[in-house]
Amino acid sequence: MPYGAGARPDGAISFCREKPYDVGRRRALQDETIRNSKRLRKLYVKSFGCQMNVYDSHRMTDLLAREDYAETTAPADADLIILNTCHIREKAVEKVYSELGRIRKLKHEAKRAGRNPVVAVAGCVAQAEGEEIVRRAPVVDMVIGPQNYHRLPALLAQVESGAKVVDTEFPLQDKFARLAPATVTAIRARGVTAFVTVQEGCDKFCTFCVVPYTRGTEVSRPVATIVAEVENLVRAGVREITLIGQNVNAYHGEGANGRPATLSHLLNRIAKVPSVLRLRYTTSHPRDMDENLIAAHRDLAILMPQLHLPVQSGSDRVLAAMNRRHTRAEYLDLIARLRATRPDMALTSDFIVGFPDETEEDFRDTLNIVDEVGFAGAFSFKYSPRPGTPAADRRDQIADEVKTERLARLQDRIERHQRAFNRNCIGRSLEVLLEKPGRNPGQLVGRSPYLQPVQVMAPSSLIGEIATAQITDVGSNSLFGALHSMEARAPALAGTGG
Ligand code: SAM
Ligand code: SF4
């Protein structure tokens, strides 16, 4: 066969004058010349709020890498500053405006030095407040909602031609299909664990929550595109995948047969991707925990025995007013079924205290559900009235001092259970996925199956591997352990491949 002749997948023969090697080299040189002719611009992205925003920030960075933006950790050096914002509580929104105050000063200094960095507000504050952001913070050049990130390059071009841009529509296009896959370099810089958004938005309309308004209706990605993204991550060295969604277990993306697939189906499919060592998913709604998903915790060796299952309140009266669509007894029954399937399951939750008309008795029901379940940890928040949500209009709001006092009591109760859960690990051998250097020289930090950080003395060559550690002590947030010998680790590693 002559040089340059190759069989195409359709069976035809194609010819070119250069050796394939030369063509590749020429293209690489062309790319390099183009890169050198353009100045590499600097991008600073700051994420607020949940993991979904962290994921979105990565995807924006990946997209902008194609436009010759390189990430920087110094906002003062940046040509483009993106704040990827959270609207879930009032405090989260105020943080964004105070950050914009700091950025205004940076932009002023940059202008004196002859530069004009672009400032963009993305995420849920962008979606909820739109043009109001530009009015309140004129330093902002672009406001872009979470469904519109694939339009970033086009919007940047508009800003560069002098316009202020606000884009918060919910387009029908699949934004994921239009975003760029992460490069090997970017994936490696982010570590051996990765989030993958599989579902966005929410149809539940809890009366306190802005998510259905800022993220829109529930949308799930097709199984095939998620699997392709996981394969790309794994090829670059990722070993643990956490599937994320505002309501991840409501997942209903298109499966191989063209019909909607469930989250348990998706987990089973991803478990077949070689070299995925661990799987997790978050955040789940109690109403969407079906029997197949519970069974997956028994049947899939690589699905970790850990579940974040927010209950919000222990009082039926408050749960009904929140429109949570389940009772306290139904939640406890679900926990019992999960534990019957996987007895060592670590359960965590979210709680809201001081929801309108919450009485001391309601609050005590919340305290005692913490005892009854024995959560391994939980996030807890004072109720924050969000404009546009039904609960915000209620007249029976709880005084802030009462919320503060209840929050302190709840957090004390949660911490007691968390410490007990962690102390119970002392003396046990736990498999730890080693992720990155720890606090002290020679130390690595990884995660136990229950998602606890574990500090061990280990060489950096073990990053990305699962090692078995004997837990020797607990700190305020992490466990301390000693690695078993390499010989002892081998069978454990084989067992986790699933
Ligand atoms: N979809 C998840 C669920 O159903 O539990 C929760 C997602 S939400 C983004 C994360 C957490 O923020 C909620 O579980 C809730 O505890 C808290 N949260 C949401 N709205 C809140 C509000 N208005 N005030 C205080 N906390 C709130
Ligand atoms: Fe918000 Fe979760 Fe309720 Fe949806 S289910 S409205 S995301 S708290």
Coordinates of all heavy atoms in Angstrom, one line a residue, residues 202 204-206 208-209 211-212 246-247 285 312 324, ligand 2:
C202 N -35.3 20.9 38.5 CA -36.1 20.2 39.4 C -37.6 20.5 39.2 O -37.9 21.7 38.9 CB -35.7 20.6 40.8 SG -36.6 19.8 42.1
K204 N -39.8 19.5 41.6 CA -40.5 19.2 42.9 C -41.1 20.4 43.6 O -42.1 20.3 44.3 CB -39.4 18.6 43.9 CG -38.9 17.2 43.5 CD -39.8 16.1 43.9 CE -39.2 14.7 43.7 NZ -38.8 14.4 42.4
F205 N -40.6 21.5 43.4 CA -41.1 22.8 43.9 C -41.3 22.7 45.4 O -42.4 23.0 45.9 CB -42.4 23.2 43.2 CG -42.2 23.7 41.8 CD1 -42.2 22.8 40.7 CD2 -41.9 25.0 41.6 CE1 -42.0 23.2 39.4 CE2 -41.6 25.5 40.3 CZ -41.7 24.6 39.2
C206 N -40.3 22.4 46.2 CA -40.3 22.6 47.6 C -40.6 24.1 47.9 O -40.0 24.9 47.1 CB -39.0 22.2 48.3 SG -38.7 20.4 48.0
F208 N -39.6 26.3 49.8 CA -38.5 27.2 50.3 C -37.5 27.4 49.2 O -36.6 28.3 49.3 CB -37.8 26.6 51.5 CG -37.3 25.2 51.3 CD1 -36.2 24.9 50.7 CD2 -38.1 24.1 51.8 CE1 -35.7 23.6 50.5 CE2 -37.7 22.8 51.6 CZ -36.5 22.6 50.9
C209 N -37.6 26.7 48.1 CA -36.4 26.5 47.2 C -36.5 27.2 45.9 O -37.5 27.2 45.2 CB -36.2 25.0 47.0 SG -34.7 24.7 46.0
V211 N -34.4 26.5 43.3 CA -33.9 25.7 42.2 C -34.8 25.6 41.0 O -34.4 25.8 39.8 CB -33.3 24.4 42.7 CG1 -33.0 23.4 41.5 CG2 -32.1 24.6 43.5
P212 N -36.1 25.3 41.2 CA -36.9 25.1 40.0 C -37.0 26.4 39.1 O -37.3 26.3 37.9 CB -38.3 24.7 40.6 CG -38.0 24.1 41.9 CD -36.8 24.9 42.4
Q246 N -29.3 18.2 40.7 CA -30.1 18.8 41.7 C -31.0 17.8 42.4 O -31.3 17.8 43.6 CB -31.0 19.9 41.2 CG -30.4 21.3 41.4 CD -29.6 21.7 40.1 OE1 -29.9 21.2 39.0 NE2 -28.7 22.6 40.3
N247 N -31.4 16.8 41.6 CA -32.3 15.7 42.1 C -31.8 14.5 41.3 O -32.5 14.0 40.5 CB -33.7 16.1 41.6 CG -34.6 16.0 42.8 OD1 -34.5 15.1 43.6 ND2 -35.5 17.0 42.9
H285 N -33.4 12.8 46.3 CA -34.6 13.1 47.0 C -35.2 11.8 47.5 O -35.3 10.8 46.8 CB -35.6 13.8 46.0 CG -36.8 14.4 46.7 ND1 -37.8 13.7 47.3 CD2 -37.1 15.7 47.0 CE1 -38.7 14.5 47.8 NE2 -38.3 15.7 47.7
Q312 N -34.5 17.5 55.6 CA -34.9 19.0 55.9 C -35.5 19.2 57.3 O -35.2 20.1 58.0 CB -35.8 19.6 54.8 CG -35.4 19.3 53.4 CD -34.1 19.9 53.0 OE1 -33.5 20.6 53.7 NE2 -33.6 19.6 51.8
R324 N -42.5 18.6 50.8 CA -41.5 17.6 50.6 C -42.0 16.3 50.0 O -41.3 15.4 49.6 CB -40.7 17.4 51.9 CG -39.8 18.5 52.2 CD -38.7 18.7 51.2 NE -37.7 17.6 51.3 CZ -36.6 17.5 50.5 NH1 -36.4 18.4 49.5 NH2 -35.7 16.6 50.6
Ligands
SF4_2 FE1 -35.1 22.4 45.7 FE2 -34.4 19.8 46.1 FE3 -36.9 20.6 46.6 FE4 -36.0 20.5 44.1 S1 -36.3 18.8 45.6 S2 -37.2 22.1 45.0 S3 -33.9 21.1 44.4 S4 -35.0 21.3 47.7

